Amino acid sequence: MYRTHTCGELRSEHRGSRVTLAGWVQRSRDLGGMTFVDLRDRYGITQLVFNMDINRELCQHARKLSREFVIQVSGKVAERSNKNPKIPTGDIEILIEELNILNPAVIPPFTIEDETDGGDDLRMKYRYLDLRRPIMKKNIMLRHRMAQEVRKYMDSQGFIEVETPVLIKTTPEGARDFVVPSRMNRGQFYALPQSPQTFKQLLMVAGYDRYFQIVKCFRDEDLRADRQPEFTQIDCEMAFVERDDLLDAFEGLAKHLFKTILGVEVNYSFPKLPYDEAMENYGTDKPDLRFDMLIHDLTTLAKGKGFGIFDEAEYIGAICAVGCSEYSRKEVDAITAFVMRPQIGGKGLISVRINSDGTIKSSVDKYYQQEDLQSWVDMAGARPGDLLLLMAGNRHATLKALGELRLEMGNRLELRPDDLYKPLWVVDFPLLEWDEGTGRYYAMHHPFTSPKLDDMDKFATDPGKVKANAYDLVINGVEIGGGSVRIHDENLQKLMFKNLGLSEREAKEKFGFLMNAFRYGAPPHGGIAFGFDRWVALFAGLDSIRDVIAFPKNNAGRDVMIDTPSAISEEQFDELGIRLTD
Amino acid sequence: MYRTHTCGELRSEHRGSRVTLAGWVQRSRDLGGMTFVDLRDRYGITQLVFNMDINRELCQHARKLSREFVIQVSGKVAERSNKNPKIPTGDIEILIEELNILNPAVIPPFTIEDETDGGDDLRMKYRYLDLRRPIMKKNIMLRHRMAQEVRKYMDSQGFIEVETPVLIKTTPEGARDFVVPSRMNRGQFYALPQSPQTFKQLLMVAGYDRYFQIVKCFRDEDLRADRQPEFTQIDCEMAFVERDDLLDAFEGLAKHLFKTILGVEVNYSFPKLPYDEAMENYGTDKPDLRFDMLIHDLTTLAKGKGFGIFDEAEYIGAICAVGCSEYSRKEVDAITAFVMRPQIGGKGLISVRINSDGTIKSSVDKYYQQEDLQSWVDMAGARPGDLLLLMAGNRHATLKALGELRLEMGNRLELRPDDLYKPLWVVDFPLLEWDEGTGRYYAMHHPFTSPKLDDMDKFATDPGKVKANAYDLVINGVEIGGGSVRIHDENLQKLMFKNLGLSEREAKEKFGFLMNAFRYGAPPHGGIAFGFDRWVALFAGLDSIRDVIAFPKNNAGRDVMIDTPSAISEEQFDELGIRLTD
């Protein structure tokens, strides 16, 4: 062993003991006859002292150490005269008697500190140095801790972790698959799983009753800011359960993580908000419940008074920004500019100030009487000192834009604190979404989701109206997981594929094994898949999942550290029986 | 919830309670006015009783249930008159009042019992039915249990589980890679990892100190009987340690699994057997230590007495089969036939009987005096009643054949009981193996393995003589894991690649990131990878890993259940910019 203790371990009580430490030179300072070195490892930082008077040669040796050198030192633990209360080892230092350079280091391309001067590209290229930064270590260790607690909890609830295969079959539904040419079966391909969906359902058919897995999944999508081609799910499935049994079980997992990871006791049932209500009240299917500021429908009140934009709108809605009646023109302009950004897509913003004296002043005063405006104020529950913000247009788009505006105002008013967590279930999603482009329905969740029993009669005749027995777990405006009660009946599954425009032949070719399995005694079942990367990021207080993944890809799907993807050899092409298109 | 209890839960103390169960019909028997149904779920089997006198209609309904129907029943728990001590629920039965068929089932293609009539192909095609058999459930649950215990132990020892990427880079060393064409980087490919080797070393460079992962790995090899294209490793790495620190840490894991999974306390240090000794004494680098029967070198004693086969042999060796002196001619012939099988490759077998009166009788009496034979007997430590079995020829091949013969005799003499476990470390492997075919060295472990310090001077001049700082964990003749102290010096790593015939350009292109990382302060480090599938199979008492994998591939690399690999669409070819070779 290269050490007797770690760099995070020594305290005053070790005073006088002879110890050996090993680690990286964080920094070194020469002060008169002394040289101080901060030695770092995963566990912490310990101060080393070299004294010119005691051992000149050793001290001179120490003065040649640069940042990130790997060294081994031995010496005596001493109480510091100048204690550092910021670190757990701050009461002591080591008076060094022996120094051994285990590996020198060239100057790193950026500083190895939380506040680094390294840009994204450089940090990705030297990811092994980036991962040395304490903040990155904290993220990766949080991820480990969460994975452990997930497994501990699921195991305690009788769930079995079963590994499902990575080399599976390409399917026509969902996102684009990554494929893997087979050498032993020339001309044929495996696909990497977008999720272990069909396998976990087969495990329910096989009687495994409660399954989970923390598992890598793959999607060959054009990468938006926060997508990765490979990502990790907490994948779960249960048999002989109804929707609320599923929600209870997975809510238990969430509460366990809140408690063990964050020390937050959530001792209420997560609210269950129907999709339609979420859209109407929050303009999104993943509402942030840390603050209210609901969207109010003013369509009936505000139409027909001669204001063209409103009169022509399908929908007029408003949010009430509490205490913002005195916003300056500049501030209102900034909010207007926000909603008019292309990604929000608003056409404009109408503001209504409710002055502290109760009078109301709007930007559309010439079209509306005070009573009209008062009716809006009443509908929105606004009070003196508040500011109403109205948008109008196509219903769906306007609700979405108001939802974005709501979040923006939440930020401005600091209503979204990092240390407050508001989980909820969004339920009763539509089963299908119509796509104008391809002229067909797509499954909103996936094609194995059961329609709600009440809507079953509409399924063959009016599938667009059918609600799904599906649910999402949303925390602070972030979708953490989604699941559903599954179809477990062969004929219903066939009908579902038909509604999705799959021919009988296609359905059989791609999912015949599943429909066949349903004929041999399939239990009622359902489950969920949580986005593990996202959950860790949420708990780490991060917006991006990239910082909770040890070795992520960049937006072009490249790992610039190992430089992949890359060319393969002629021999590999020959063996696989493929070649590049000219 | 479809049930109040599972099928493994009810006992006498529940007598009189009204319960609801759900599960599969294991079998049903009509006896006079009663119908008995065994209801099965993951947790057990419970007997249901339908009584013609009490509810004729219900009983007639029950008589229509076939095997594997999924049903839900409610009724009262009653004490059985005819108890079944073989199952935990054998004291009770349920007097059924309600029956609800949740899903009917067609007749399964084989019986869902431990002793099944289903052949391998049929079981693979209907894997979801095969997995219903209690023995398969036991295997899969054992796997879960072991994975949990591995994680619990590694976590308790300060190891962090870090997920390494699946989409990595093809490398020139090792087995053949599976590759994944990149759509976003046309003409380029990812590779699936054969192991996370370089990433775990980078994690050590990054200061993570103790890493582990239970992780899928991939090898595109022609599949022998017990290989899978995707398999699972317990992958571990530690920094600031020397070899024995590593062995201690991983031995701790093995002991933890022995104790928690098998209830076996191993309270001794695993023996450390050098590779050369293992080869000399057991004819293999993975000796089964459940029995002795060492190989003895008789070369000096047996040569030069005029027996041509021995005189020409490079090596003559023997094992002593205790108590076998009275083996019949037929038995000796059978053993001879065994060693002459092509996969063993023996040229013949000489037997020497040590009769109970001390006289010695051999099949080569005309070439040797009794004193000669006695010297063999003495050398082999044989005693009256024993049988010496001799083989001769090329040293390496003969030792290997004697090793196989030793195992065969161990089987015949029942010296290899399933419930005895003899773990050991095999150490001091050769660093390199010379391959005549390609005229170059290959790394016996892998190219990141450090030479032993004592041999470092030979590394540049006589690399074939250098021992590696590598080790295997062997239990009962099965190699469970292998690891090494790694190279952590850029120049030594360069020299290693040079010895392996990689050009500087190639080495830089493929492993430049790792050698570069070594320049920024790499700590001494080492690790191991355990074959998780094999370890589970060993603990399950199985020879094949296929029965501890939920959804394995067959020998052609196919999953016949989902029918993959399979064709991909023209659109997929176009998007990826590849096509099949004509």
Side-chain angles (χ1 to χ4, degrees), chain A residues 307 310 317-319 321 324-325 327-329 331-333 335-336 348-354 360-365 368 373 376-377 386-391 405:
Chain A
F307 178 43
F310 279 10
I319 58 171
C324 297
S325 70
Y327 260 28
S328 67
R329 174 70 181 264
E331 282 171 305
V332 173
D333 284 352
I335 300 169
T336 307
L349 186 70
I350 305 297
S351 58
V352 179
R353 294 170 197 272
I354 304 99
I360 306 174
K361 176 85 190 124
S362 83
S363 51
V364 288
D365 277 359
Y368 295 95
L373 299 178
W376 303 357
V377 168
D386 294 350
L387 176 70
L388 279 193
L389 298 167
L390 281 73
M391 295 181 72
L405 175 61

Short mmCIF file of all heavy atoms in Angstrom, two decimals, chain A residues 307 310 317-319 321 324-325 327-329 331-333 335-336 348-354 360-365 368 373 376-377 386-391 405:
data_model
loop_
_atom_site.label_atom_id
_atom_site.label_comp_id
_atom_site.label_asym_id
_atom_site.label_seq_id
_atom_site.Cartn_x
_atom_site.Cartn_y
_atom_site.Cartn_z
N PHE A 307 -61.02 44.57 -30.23
CA PHE A 307 -59.56 44.47 -30.34
C PHE A 307 -59.24 43.29 -31.26
O PHE A 307 -59.42 42.12 -30.90
CB PHE A 307 -58.95 44.29 -28.95
CG PHE A 307 -57.45 44.13 -28.96
CD1 PHE A 307 -56.63 44.93 -29.77
CD2 PHE A 307 -56.84 43.17 -28.14
CE1 PHE A 307 -55.25 44.76 -29.76
CE2 PHE A 307 -55.47 43.02 -28.13
CZ PHE A 307 -54.67 43.81 -28.94
N PHE A 310 -57.30 39.99 -30.32
CA PHE A 310 -58.04 39.12 -29.42
C PHE A 310 -59.26 38.53 -30.11
O PHE A 310 -59.58 37.35 -29.94
CB PHE A 310 -58.47 39.87 -28.16
CG PHE A 310 -57.37 40.00 -27.12
CD1 PHE A 310 -56.06 39.65 -27.41
CD2 PHE A 310 -57.66 40.46 -25.83
CE1 PHE A 310 -55.05 39.78 -26.46
CE2 PHE A 310 -56.66 40.58 -24.87
CZ PHE A 310 -55.35 40.25 -25.19
N GLY A 317 -55.21 33.98 -22.92
CA GLY A 317 -54.91 33.55 -21.55
C GLY A 317 -54.00 34.56 -20.86
O GLY A 317 -53.38 35.40 -21.51
N ALA A 318 -53.97 34.44 -19.53
CA ALA A 318 -53.16 35.39 -18.76
C ALA A 318 -52.55 34.71 -17.56
O ALA A 318 -53.08 33.73 -17.03
CB ALA A 318 -54.04 36.54 -18.28
N ILE A 319 -51.40 35.25 -17.15
CA ILE A 319 -50.86 34.91 -15.84
C ILE A 319 -50.78 36.20 -15.03
O ILE A 319 -50.72 37.30 -15.59
CB ILE A 319 -49.47 34.25 -15.91
CG1 ILE A 319 -48.47 35.16 -16.63
CG2 ILE A 319 -49.54 32.88 -16.57
CD1 ILE A 319 -47.04 34.66 -16.54
N ALA A 321 -48.58 38.21 -12.41
CA ALA A 321 -47.27 38.36 -11.76
C ALA A 321 -47.48 39.19 -10.50
O ALA A 321 -47.66 40.41 -10.58
CB ALA A 321 -46.27 39.00 -12.70
N CYS A 324 -45.92 42.97 -9.34
CA CYS A 324 -45.10 43.50 -10.44
C CYS A 324 -45.74 44.70 -11.14
O CYS A 324 -45.33 45.08 -12.24
CB CYS A 324 -44.83 42.42 -11.48
SG CYS A 324 -43.88 41.06 -10.82
N SER A 325 -46.75 45.33 -10.50
CA SER A 325 -47.46 46.42 -11.18
C SER A 325 -46.54 47.59 -11.48
O SER A 325 -46.79 48.36 -12.39
CB SER A 325 -48.65 46.89 -10.34
OG SER A 325 -48.18 47.57 -9.19
N TYR A 327 -43.50 47.40 -12.59
CA TYR A 327 -42.46 47.08 -13.58
C TYR A 327 -42.28 48.27 -14.52
O TYR A 327 -43.25 48.86 -14.97
CB TYR A 327 -42.87 45.84 -14.40
CG TYR A 327 -42.20 44.55 -13.93
CD1 TYR A 327 -41.81 44.38 -12.60
CD2 TYR A 327 -41.96 43.51 -14.82
CE1 TYR A 327 -41.21 43.21 -12.18
CE2 TYR A 327 -41.37 42.33 -14.41
CZ TYR A 327 -41.00 42.19 -13.09
OH TYR A 327 -40.41 41.02 -12.68
N SER A 328 -41.04 48.59 -14.82
CA SER A 328 -40.76 49.69 -15.73
C SER A 328 -41.11 49.27 -17.16
O SER A 328 -41.28 48.08 -17.46
CB SER A 328 -39.27 50.05 -15.68
OG SER A 328 -38.53 48.97 -16.22
N ARG A 329 -41.21 50.25 -18.01
CA ARG A 329 -41.42 49.99 -19.42
C ARG A 329 -40.35 49.04 -19.96
O ARG A 329 -40.63 48.11 -20.71
CB ARG A 329 -41.36 51.35 -20.16
CG ARG A 329 -41.41 51.23 -21.66
CD ARG A 329 -42.80 50.78 -22.10
NE ARG A 329 -42.83 50.65 -23.54
CZ ARG A 329 -43.28 51.62 -24.35
NH1 ARG A 329 -43.76 52.74 -23.85
NH2 ARG A 329 -43.28 51.43 -25.65
N GLU A 331 -38.64 46.83 -18.34
CA GLU A 331 -38.84 45.46 -17.87
C GLU A 331 -39.93 44.76 -18.67
O GLU A 331 -39.79 43.61 -19.08
CB GLU A 331 -39.18 45.44 -16.38
CG GLU A 331 -37.94 45.63 -15.49
CD GLU A 331 -38.28 45.84 -14.02
OE1 GLU A 331 -39.06 46.78 -13.71
OE2 GLU A 331 -37.78 45.09 -13.18
N VAL A 332 -41.01 45.48 -18.91
CA VAL A 332 -42.10 44.88 -19.69
C VAL A 332 -41.63 44.58 -21.11
O VAL A 332 -41.95 43.53 -21.68
CB VAL A 332 -43.35 45.80 -19.68
CG1 VAL A 332 -44.42 45.27 -20.64
CG2 VAL A 332 -43.91 45.93 -18.27
N ASP A 333 -40.83 45.49 -21.65
CA ASP A 333 -40.28 45.25 -23.00
C ASP A 333 -39.41 43.98 -23.02
O ASP A 333 -39.45 43.20 -23.97
CB ASP A 333 -39.43 46.44 -23.46
CG ASP A 333 -40.30 47.62 -23.90
OD1 ASP A 333 -41.54 47.43 -23.97
OD2 ASP A 333 -39.75 48.71 -24.14
N ILE A 335 -39.69 41.36 -21.11
CA ILE A 335 -40.55 40.18 -21.03
C ILE A 335 -41.22 39.95 -22.39
O ILE A 335 -41.36 38.81 -22.85
CB ILE A 335 -41.62 40.36 -19.93
CG1 ILE A 335 -40.93 40.57 -18.57
CG2 ILE A 335 -42.53 39.16 -19.86
CD1 ILE A 335 -41.89 41.02 -17.49
N THR A 336 -41.61 41.05 -23.03
CA THR A 336 -42.23 40.93 -24.36
C THR A 336 -41.23 40.32 -25.35
O THR A 336 -41.58 39.41 -26.12
CB THR A 336 -42.70 42.31 -24.85
OG1 THR A 336 -43.52 42.90 -23.83
CG2 THR A 336 -43.49 42.19 -26.15
N GLY A 348 -46.93 38.61 -29.31
CA GLY A 348 -46.92 39.86 -28.57
C GLY A 348 -47.40 39.61 -27.16
O GLY A 348 -47.72 38.48 -26.81
N LEU A 349 -47.40 40.67 -26.37
CA LEU A 349 -47.77 40.52 -24.97
C LEU A 349 -48.57 41.74 -24.57
O LEU A 349 -48.19 42.88 -24.86
CB LEU A 349 -46.50 40.41 -24.12
CG LEU A 349 -46.66 40.10 -22.64
CD1 LEU A 349 -47.14 38.66 -22.46
CD2 LEU A 349 -45.33 40.30 -21.92
N ILE A 350 -49.70 41.53 -23.94
CA ILE A 350 -50.52 42.63 -23.42
C ILE A 350 -50.34 42.64 -21.91
O ILE A 350 -50.45 41.59 -21.28
CB ILE A 350 -52.01 42.40 -23.76
CG1 ILE A 350 -52.20 42.21 -25.27
CG2 ILE A 350 -52.87 43.53 -23.20
CD1 ILE A 350 -51.80 43.39 -26.11
N SER A 351 -50.06 43.84 -21.36
CA SER A 351 -49.89 43.89 -19.92
C SER A 351 -50.99 44.74 -19.28
O SER A 351 -51.47 45.71 -19.88
CB SER A 351 -48.51 44.46 -19.57
OG SER A 351 -48.37 45.74 -20.13
N VAL A 352 -51.40 44.34 -18.11
CA VAL A 352 -52.44 45.04 -17.36
C VAL A 352 -51.91 45.28 -15.94
O VAL A 352 -51.68 44.31 -15.20
CB VAL A 352 -53.74 44.22 -17.31
CG1 VAL A 352 -54.81 44.95 -16.50
CG2 VAL A 352 -54.23 43.89 -18.71
N ARG A 353 -51.70 46.57 -15.60
CA ARG A 353 -51.19 46.89 -14.26
C ARG A 353 -52.36 47.12 -13.31
O ARG A 353 -53.26 47.90 -13.62
CB ARG A 353 -50.37 48.18 -14.30
CG ARG A 353 -49.11 48.07 -15.09
CD ARG A 353 -48.49 49.47 -15.27
NE ARG A 353 -47.52 49.45 -16.34
CZ ARG A 353 -46.23 49.14 -16.15
NH1 ARG A 353 -45.80 48.86 -14.94
NH2 ARG A 353 -45.41 49.12 -17.17
N ILE A 354 -52.36 46.49 -12.16
CA ILE A 354 -53.35 46.77 -11.15
C ILE A 354 -52.62 47.63 -10.11
O ILE A 354 -51.85 47.11 -9.30
CB ILE A 354 -53.91 45.48 -10.50
CG1 ILE A 354 -54.47 44.57 -11.59
CG2 ILE A 354 -55.00 45.82 -9.49
CD1 ILE A 354 -53.56 43.48 -12.01
N ILE A 360 -56.79 50.33 -12.77
CA ILE A 360 -56.20 49.36 -13.69
C ILE A 360 -55.75 50.09 -14.94
O ILE A 360 -56.51 50.90 -15.50
CB ILE A 360 -57.24 48.28 -14.07
CG1 ILE A 360 -57.80 47.64 -12.79
CG2 ILE A 360 -56.61 47.22 -14.96
CD1 ILE A 360 -58.93 46.67 -13.05
N LYS A 361 -54.54 49.80 -15.38
CA LYS A 361 -53.99 50.47 -16.55
C LYS A 361 -53.44 49.40 -17.47
O LYS A 361 -52.62 48.58 -17.08
CB LYS A 361 -52.86 51.42 -16.07
CG LYS A 361 -52.13 52.13 -17.16
CD LYS A 361 -52.86 53.42 -17.58
CE LYS A 361 -52.24 53.97 -18.86
NZ LYS A 361 -53.23 54.14 -19.92
N SER A 362 -53.92 49.39 -18.73
CA SER A 362 -53.45 48.37 -19.65
C SER A 362 -52.93 48.99 -20.93
O SER A 362 -53.15 50.17 -21.19
CB SER A 362 -54.58 47.40 -19.98
OG SER A 362 -55.37 47.94 -21.02
N SER A 363 -52.29 48.19 -21.74
CA SER A 363 -51.82 48.65 -23.05
C SER A 363 -52.93 48.57 -24.09
O SER A 363 -52.73 48.92 -25.24
CB SER A 363 -50.60 47.83 -23.48
OG SER A 363 -50.87 46.44 -23.38
N VAL A 364 -54.12 48.13 -23.68
CA VAL A 364 -55.25 48.06 -24.63
C VAL A 364 -56.44 48.83 -24.09
O VAL A 364 -57.59 48.46 -24.34
CB VAL A 364 -55.64 46.58 -24.92
CG1 VAL A 364 -54.57 45.93 -25.78
CG2 VAL A 364 -55.83 45.79 -23.62
N ASP A 365 -56.14 49.89 -23.37
CA ASP A 365 -57.20 50.67 -22.73
C ASP A 365 -58.23 51.19 -23.72
O ASP A 365 -59.39 51.39 -23.38
CB ASP A 365 -56.59 51.84 -21.94
CG ASP A 365 -56.14 51.39 -20.54
OD1 ASP A 365 -56.32 50.20 -20.23
OD2 ASP A 365 -55.60 52.23 -19.79
N TYR A 368 -61.02 48.53 -24.18
CA TYR A 368 -61.73 47.93 -23.06
C TYR A 368 -62.07 48.95 -22.00
O TYR A 368 -61.30 49.89 -21.74
CB TYR A 368 -60.88 46.81 -22.45
CG TYR A 368 -60.68 45.66 -23.40
CD1 TYR A 368 -59.54 45.59 -24.19
CD2 TYR A 368 -61.66 44.66 -23.53
CE1 TYR A 368 -59.36 44.55 -25.08
CE2 TYR A 368 -61.48 43.63 -24.43
CZ TYR A 368 -60.33 43.57 -25.20
OH TYR A 368 -60.17 42.54 -26.09
N LEU A 373 -61.67 45.23 -17.88
CA LEU A 373 -60.38 44.90 -17.30
C LEU A 373 -60.56 44.31 -15.90
O LEU A 373 -59.89 43.34 -15.51
CB LEU A 373 -59.49 46.15 -17.23
CG LEU A 373 -59.18 46.80 -18.59
CD1 LEU A 373 -58.33 48.06 -18.40
CD2 LEU A 373 -58.47 45.83 -19.53
N TRP A 376 -61.26 40.71 -15.99
CA TRP A 376 -60.04 39.91 -16.17
C TRP A 376 -59.31 39.75 -14.85
O TRP A 376 -58.86 38.66 -14.50
CB TRP A 376 -59.06 40.58 -17.15
CG TRP A 376 -59.61 40.87 -18.51
CD1 TRP A 376 -60.85 40.55 -19.00
CD2 TRP A 376 -58.92 41.56 -19.55
NE1 TRP A 376 -60.99 41.00 -20.28
CE2 TRP A 376 -59.81 41.62 -20.66
CE3 TRP A 376 -57.65 42.13 -19.67
CZ2 TRP A 376 -59.45 42.23 -21.86
CZ3 TRP A 376 -57.30 42.73 -20.86
CH2 TRP A 376 -58.20 42.78 -21.96
N VAL A 377 -59.16 40.87 -14.17
CA VAL A 377 -58.45 40.87 -12.89
C VAL A 377 -59.13 39.91 -11.92
O VAL A 377 -58.45 39.11 -11.24
CB VAL A 377 -58.40 42.31 -12.32
CG1 VAL A 377 -57.93 42.30 -10.87
CG2 VAL A 377 -57.50 43.20 -13.18
N ASP A 386 -50.39 43.95 -8.56
CA ASP A 386 -50.02 42.84 -9.46
C ASP A 386 -50.01 43.31 -10.92
O ASP A 386 -50.52 44.39 -11.25
CB ASP A 386 -51.01 41.68 -9.31
CG ASP A 386 -50.93 41.04 -7.92
OD1 ASP A 386 -49.99 41.38 -7.17
OD2 ASP A 386 -51.82 40.22 -7.60
N LEU A 387 -49.45 42.44 -11.73
CA LEU A 387 -49.36 42.72 -13.17
C LEU A 387 -49.92 41.51 -13.92
O LEU A 387 -49.46 40.38 -13.71
CB LEU A 387 -47.89 42.94 -13.56
CG LEU A 387 -47.56 43.17 -15.03
CD1 LEU A 387 -48.08 44.53 -15.50
CD2 LEU A 387 -46.05 43.07 -15.25
N LEU A 388 -50.94 41.76 -14.76
CA LEU A 388 -51.46 40.67 -15.61
C LEU A 388 -50.71 40.69 -16.93
O LEU A 388 -50.49 41.76 -17.51
CB LEU A 388 -52.94 40.87 -15.91
CG LEU A 388 -53.99 40.46 -14.89
CD1 LEU A 388 -55.37 40.48 -15.57
CD2 LEU A 388 -53.72 39.07 -14.35
N LEU A 389 -50.36 39.50 -17.39
CA LEU A 389 -49.68 39.38 -18.69
C LEU A 389 -50.54 38.48 -19.57
O LEU A 389 -50.81 37.33 -19.21
CB LEU A 389 -48.28 38.81 -18.52
CG LEU A 389 -47.33 39.67 -17.66
CD1 LEU A 389 -46.08 38.90 -17.28
CD2 LEU A 389 -46.98 40.97 -18.40
N LEU A 390 -50.98 39.01 -20.72
CA LEU A 390 -51.92 38.28 -21.58
C LEU A 390 -51.27 37.92 -22.91
O LEU A 390 -50.50 38.71 -23.48
CB LEU A 390 -53.16 39.13 -21.90
CG LEU A 390 -54.25 39.25 -20.84
CD1 LEU A 390 -53.80 40.12 -19.69
CD2 LEU A 390 -55.54 39.75 -21.49
N MET A 391 -51.60 36.72 -23.38
CA MET A 391 -51.20 36.34 -24.73
C MET A 391 -52.41 35.74 -25.43
O MET A 391 -53.34 35.24 -24.78
CB MET A 391 -50.06 35.34 -24.71
CG MET A 391 -48.78 35.92 -24.12
SD MET A 391 -47.43 34.73 -24.12
CE MET A 391 -47.08 34.67 -25.86
N LEU A 405 -43.62 31.66 -20.38
CA LEU A 405 -43.61 32.97 -19.72
C LEU A 405 -43.73 32.81 -18.20
O LEU A 405 -43.05 33.49 -17.43
CB LEU A 405 -44.77 33.82 -20.26
CG LEU A 405 -44.97 35.18 -19.59
CD1 LEU A 405 -43.73 36.06 -19.74
CD2 LEU A 405 -46.21 35.88 -20.14
#
